[in-house]
Amino acid sequence: MCKIQKEHVKTSRGYDPQPTRQAYGDVLLEMGAERDDFFVIDCDIAKSMKTMAFAEKYPQRHINVGIAEQNAAGVGAGLATLGYKAIVSTYAVFGSMRMLEQIRTSACYPNLNVKVCCSHGGLTPASDGVTHQAIEDMGIYRTVPNIAVMMPADYNATKAMMRALMDYDGPCYIRFTRDSMPNFYEENEEFVIGKGKVLREGRDITIIANGDLLHEAIKATEELIENGVDVELIDMHTIKPLDEELVLKTLAKTGKIITVEDHNILNGLGSAVADILATQGNGIMRKVGLKDCFAESGPYHDLLHKYEMDACYIIKMARELL
Amino acid sequence: MNDKIAYLEEKARELRTTILTMIHAAGSGHPGGSLSAADYVTVLYYDEMHIDPQNPKMEDRDRFILSKGHSCPVLYSVLAQKGYYDYEIIHTLRKFGSILQGHPDMNKVPGVDMTTGSLGQGLSVGAGMAIGLKSTNNSARVFVSLGDGEINEGQVWEAACTASKYKLDNLVAIVDFNGIQNDSFTKDIMPMDNIADKWKSFGWEVMVCDGHDISDLVKTFEEMKAFRHAGRPICIVANTIKGKGVSFMEHVPMWHGVAPNKEEFTQALSEINGGDCNV
């Protein structure tokens, strides 16, 4: 049996665990003081999105359109035609599906600087249940031209990626966690959209993860190392544009990849990596993620265990490949 | 004043000629809603809007969003006539490699302020523009042309709420009330009765005019200026006729999205130009 404790992360730097949506709210407030070239557009969930502090401090640059996501997308596009960055703020289910066509046609097609920033990614709104768990969002946006798609893993990564996103030219989709995540990255860690981060070099097998499940991947990596497996661990925070060079490099090295994502295993990180492997690389892989089903309400870690997305399952997959 | 009206009427005739010429050349497109919009688009581009065809990205220009994007022949035509791009390009509508896509692409056509074509999205974009312009005290206004079928879309009313909340008196919606949508008459598909009351109840200043009477359009835009700083967005309901100017197209749902063949085209031009077909 798997020995991993639910909350045990040796690599934690000692910060209190926080939901990454908190980092989103905090960095907006910081950037509000630094620059005046962006608007934040909320859909009546500013409190939950942690944008209320920004709204109170910079009311002239905050718009709340009420429960009207499609309209929020269009308002963002209109602002973007004037040269502003439009931060459209909602939950991932609504940001990817309710406003999808508006973002696709009014933002991605004209390539405008609309940034869809969404909390409640994957199973992280665990107790909220299926209606609020976004398992399709990254895959949906991956199929829309022009838009970058990403999920940072922790508080500091989220702040850094939000800053990178503000200076990225074109539409972006970024998703955060509802529930708290351990902290892993140092402050001032540098992130480049489209460039994965090698967290540990290894020769036997590669684990490519992102978002909240990077923490499960870290736990699995530590366990595997203790058992003599030389794991290469990559944080692939951006699934589009995907860091193809890095995928090919690690594939040439280990020939074995496990992808790990808090998303349907269809069309997310795993599929993006599989596309490279199928067309340019040589090796074998396994995908860890939600297996094309809806989950349910429950504690986050229990859901990850039941739906075979946790560190134990990653280790099981690794054993299969080794 | 009479000279101005006569001039605008002549420009509207030219516009209808250009519209039909480009749709006929394309072999597909949407004549009905282009012709119903021709008169108010003429008045906007030749009289009302602050624009400079030599400087299509001018910061303080008035913006025009053709939310009913399928009617783009009317927009492409007025931009061609105003010299935003070479007039001869009109013959390339919907053709491979053309800047004139089946629905408008803001990155391809000089003077197109927003990419449109998926109905219901333009008013939200207009509201966003209007908010942004106000935030920098830019005096420009935003005109959004909506179809009466298009306003079936819920997003339009979400945008109407937003415009009212943010007191966007620099935003003008023009509803092209021609009574016909894709499948048939709006009264049968989705009636939008008491249209003026609907917009009023959303907090808009509403004006109703004859969308084919140039004098009435000019007067309406003039009267509209009284509300320039009234803190309410403005809706102009333009009562129009789908296919206006071509007898066999007027009031006929089929002409929503069909191109005229050679005989129909010749007859249409002859009617528009008073029997004197010189194209």
Side-chain angles (χ1 to χ4, degrees):
Chain A
M1 282 300 293
C2 180
K3 292 183 297 183
I4 292 167
Q5 303 289 309
K6 274 181 193 171
E7 303 296 340
H8 171 73
V9 182
K10 285 183 194 166
T11 34
S12 174
R13 307 273 184 204
Y15 306 109
D16 290 337
Q18 292 193 80
T20 60
R21 64 188 159 130
Q22 184 63 53
Y24 165 64
D26 290 352
V27 76
L28 284 179
L29 200 58
E30 289 170 19
M31 289 192 292
E34 297 160 11
R35 53 199 295 173
D36 59 4
D37 63 345
F38 71 97
F39 275 78
V40 176
I41 303 151
D42 266 302
C43 306
D44 193 40
I45 43 176
K47 273 189 276 187
S48 176
M49 291 301 299
K50 307 298 179 191
T51 46
M52 208 46 121
F54 179 89
E56 280 163 8
K57 190 151 187 198
Y58 304 103
Q60 299 307 315
R61 284 184 268 153
H62 183 265
I63 300 164
N64 199 329
V65 298
I67 309 165
E69 292 81 9
Q70 303 170 62
N71 178 49
V75 168
L79 284 161
T81 66
L82 302 175
Y84 291 106
K85 329 269 183 198
I87 306 286
V88 178
S89 187
T90 183
Y91 293 162
V93 166
F94 316 132
S96 62
M97 286 174 273
R98 184 67 68 95
M99 65 168 73
L100 171 63
E101 200 233 349
Q102 283 74 12
I103 292 296
R104 180 249 186 205
T105 300
S106 288
C108 296
Y109 176 28
N111 206 17
L112 294 168
N113 266 316
V114 176
K115 318 294 185 182
V116 185
C117 299
C118 294
S119 178
H120 291 44
L123 301 185
T124 70
S127 57
D128 285 336
V130 171
T131 56
H132 287 59
Q133 293 165 351
I135 57 167
E136 309 92 345
D137 55 331
M138 298 180 81
I140 286 169
Y141 273 123
R142 191 178 154 240
T143 64
V144 180
N146 289 347
I147 192 166
V149 182
M150 62 203 89
M151 184 179 196
D154 75 357
Y155 184 88
N156 286 332
T158 300
K159 279 181 143 186
M161 289 208 68
M162 278 303 297
R163 286 179 179 280
L165 164 150
M166 285 294 262
D167 292 320
Y168 184 89
D169 193 23
C172 295
Y173 178 77
I174 185 169
R175 57 137 74 155
F176 315 120
T177 68
R178 185 212 170 277
D179 287 0
S180 288
M181 292 298 139
N183 285 294
F184 173 75
Y185 285 111
E186 299 279 11
E187 270 183 82
N188 306 322
E189 175 86 30
E190 208 176 304
F191 283 83
V192 178
I193 291 170
K195 287 283 164 216
K197 296 180 83 73
V198 181
L199 301 180
R200 183 185 191 278
E201 297 217 37
R203 308 215 142 264
D204 296 336
I205 191 166
T206 307
I207 299 177
I208 301 179
N210 69 16
D212 50 304
L213 286 199
L214 180 67
H215 303 289
E216 295 301 311
I218 290 168
K219 285 190 258 181
T221 298
E222 288 172 349
E223 175 83 7
L224 286 164
I225 293 166
E226 276 181 23
N227 287 283
V229 183
D230 193 12
V231 178
E232 178 143 307
L233 178 63
I234 293 171
D235 176 1
M236 196 64 86
H237 47 74
T238 309
I239 70 163
K240 184 183 157 181
L242 187 72
D243 192 342
E244 295 191 9
E245 197 187 328
L246 182 55
V247 173
L248 287 171
K249 199 171 149 200
T250 194
L251 201 56
K253 210 159 134 191
T254 68
K256 302 180 186 71
I257 293 178
I258 297 173
T259 57
V260 183
E261 61 192 311
D262 190 355
H263 190 276
N264 193 334
I265 52 166
L266 300 182
N267 212 17
L269 169 67
S271 295
V273 170
D275 282 355
I276 309 270
L277 194 143
T279 53
Q280 302 172 56
N282 202 354
I284 49 174
M285 69 174 287
R286 292 286 184 276
K287 296 196 273 188
V288 175
L290 193 62
K291 294 170 183 171
D292 198 24
C293 63
F294 291 111
E296 62 192 286
S297 289
Y300 171 72
H301 283 99
D302 291 349
L303 291 179
L304 293 189
H305 187 69
K306 174 172 177 182
Y307 290 93
E308 302 189 321
M309 298 158 73
D310 64 355
C312 299
Y313 191 74
I314 298 169
I315 291 164
K316 193 180 160 200
M317 286 294 104
R319 298 262 176 243
E320 265 189 38
L321 287 190
L322 286 164
Chain B
M1 188 66 184
N2 285 339
D3 284 355
K4 179 163 112 177
I5 300 302
Y7 169 77
L8 291 173
E9 283 172 349
E10 176 54 29
K11 288 296 161 193
R13 263 193 297 279
E14 287 175 25
L15 191 58
R16 287 193 161 85
T17 301
T18 308
I19 288 166
L20 288 162
T21 303
M22 66 162 54
I23 296 176
H24 175 62
S28 70
H30 297 80
S34 299
L35 293 170
S36 69
D39 295 303
Y40 66 77
V41 168
T42 298
V43 177
L44 283 173
Y45 275 84
Y46 284 93
D47 190 49
E48 181 61 28
M49 281 169 45
H50 175 58
I51 46 173
D52 177 3
Q54 302 310 310
N55 189 6
K57 298 275 184 197
M58 183 171 71
E59 274 196 14
D60 66 342
R61 73 187 186 281
D62 288 337
R63 270 73 169 172
F64 180 74
I65 300 173
L66 185 67
S67 193
K68 41 175 264 171
H70 56 278
S71 303
C72 55
V74 71
L75 177 57
Y76 292 158
S77 293
V78 81
L79 294 176
Q81 290 184 185
K82 295 287 289 186
Y84 280 85
Y85 63 90
D86 178 6
Y87 187 85
E88 289 308 309
I89 290 175
I90 68 156
H91 300 288
T92 68
L93 172 69
R94 290 177 168 245
K95 289 183 179 157
F96 195 69
S98 174
I99 61 169
L100 305 181
Q101 295 290 296
H103 294 81
D105 181 334
M106 66 186 287
N107 292 323
K108 286 197 160 80
V109 190
V112 170
D113 289 315
M114 184 62 201
T115 296
T116 54
S118 173
L119 296 176
Q121 300 191 17
L123 193 58
S124 298
V125 175
M129 284 184 188
I131 290 170
L133 291 167
K134 265 183 178 276
S135 77
T136 50
N137 297 316
N138 187 320
S139 62
R141 297 167 299 171
V142 182
F143 293 89
V144 180
S145 174
L146 300 163
D148 55 355
E150 176 180 18
I151 60 176
N152 297 169
E153 290 279 5
Q155 187 186 346
V156 172
W157 302 101
E158 295 179 1
C161 293
T162 296
S164 181
K165 175 187 171 185
Y166 288 96
K167 305 185 191 309
L168 302 179
D169 47 21
N170 54 346
L171 177 66
V172 182
I174 302 171
V175 180
D176 189 338
F177 209 66
N178 62 33
I180 294 175
Q181 54 196 111
N182 187 68
D183 278 353
S184 190
F185 296 97
T186 55
K187 69 179 171 52
D188 298 322
I189 303 303
M190 184 45 66
M192 282 285 164
D193 297 337
N194 305 317
I195 185 71
D197 290 344
K198 281 188 170 74
W199 288 91
K200 266 181 211 152
S201 73
F202 277 77
W204 287 56
E205 192 64 49
V206 183
M207 308 175 78
V208 180
C209 72
D210 180 340
H212 296 309
D213 179 339
I214 298 283
S215 304
D216 197 23
L217 282 164
V218 169
K219 185 167 132 275
T220 303
F221 285 125
E222 204 50 47
E223 287 171 3
M224 179 184 81
K225 292 186 175 68
F227 307 114
R228 183 64 184 86
H229 300 290
R232 288 185 299 280
I234 295 152
C235 174
I236 296 175
V237 177
N239 287 311
T240 56
I241 293 168
K242 198 133 176 176
K244 172 69 179 178
V246 180
S247 61
F248 58 89
M249 291 186 182
E250 289 187 3
H251 300 295
V252 179
M254 184 198 87
W255 287 101
H256 169 82
V258 174
N261 64 25
K262 189 153 188 358
E263 291 72 37
E264 290 160 343
F265 174 59
T266 308
Q267 154 117 27
L269 285 202
S270 148
E271 288 183 15
I272 285 165
N273 296 302
D276 175 26
C277 176
N278 56 6
V279 176

